[in-house]
Amino acid sequence: MAASRCPAWRAASTRTRPARVRLMSVHPRVVADDFPATLRFYADLLGEPEKVVAEFEYASFDAGGETVLAVLGRRAAEAVLPVGRGDGGVLVVVPVPDVDATVAALPAGTVVAAPADRPGWGVRSAYLRDPEGNLVEVQTWLPR
């Protein structure tokens, strides 16, 4: 059934919300218990990452100037967001023009980690849980 014909989707889409943001790149982030081994695995599979920040256990694989996959060490993740083993190790990252405005427009109880600057990663981000319990990061690049 097409989404436009689905009554549940239509009902959910009619609630008050800000104008739809132009879709930018959305990418998965693998949360790894063993950051070096996981980074090696993806580097062997995808080639050298575009960016590695070892002290923050972060690496990104980019294509055309956009991140297509990122790897984040679990210790680094747990320092800023409530990630646990039950999360399956993957979260979805959604770039938005304004993290604070995006969070302000969300229903209560959606946000699990408030907006904050993450200078080591170069972003301002907040963390959410979707209705299925999946982690979602909304982020905006910090000025360089």
Side-chain angles (χ1 to χ4, degrees):
M1 176 181 285
S4 63
R5 294 184 185 164
C6 177
W9 179 84
R10 192 173 317 129
S13 70
T14 60
R15 69 175 172 264
T16 303
R17 62 182 179 190
R20 185 178 175 137
V21 174
R22 181 183 69 80
L23 184 61
M24 297 186 282
S25 67
V26 175
H27 66 271
R29 180 168 292 163
V30 174
V31 180
D33 286 321
D34 185 339
F35 176 77
T38 304
L39 177 56
R40 275 193 309 277
F41 172 83
Y42 283 102
D44 287 347
L45 181 65
L46 303 171
E48 290 301 309
E50 198 67 29
K51 179 178 185 179
V52 176
V53 184
E55 63 270 22
F56 291 103
E57 294 187 316
Y58 175 83
S60 68
F61 296 86
D62 301 349
E66 298 285 340
T67 298
V68 295
L69 175 73
V71 178
L72 177 63
R74 188 171 302 277
R75 287 186 312 270
E78 288 173 342
V80 296
L81 66 125
V83 64
R85 286 297 301 156
D87 292 319
V90 175
L91 65 96
V92 176
V93 178
V94 180
V96 297
D98 184 329
V99 170
D100 296 275
T102 299
V103 167
L106 294 170
T110 303
V111 179
V112 295
D117 288 351
R118 317 239 187 261
W121 299 342
V123 299
R124 179 167 181 77
S125 65
Y127 295 88
L128 325 168
R129 286 219 187 261
D130 73 12
E132 295 295 322
N134 300 302
L135 281 169
V136 177
E137 174 184 341
V138 291
Q139 68 168 223
T140 302
W141 290 105
L142 292 172
R144 292 182 180 192

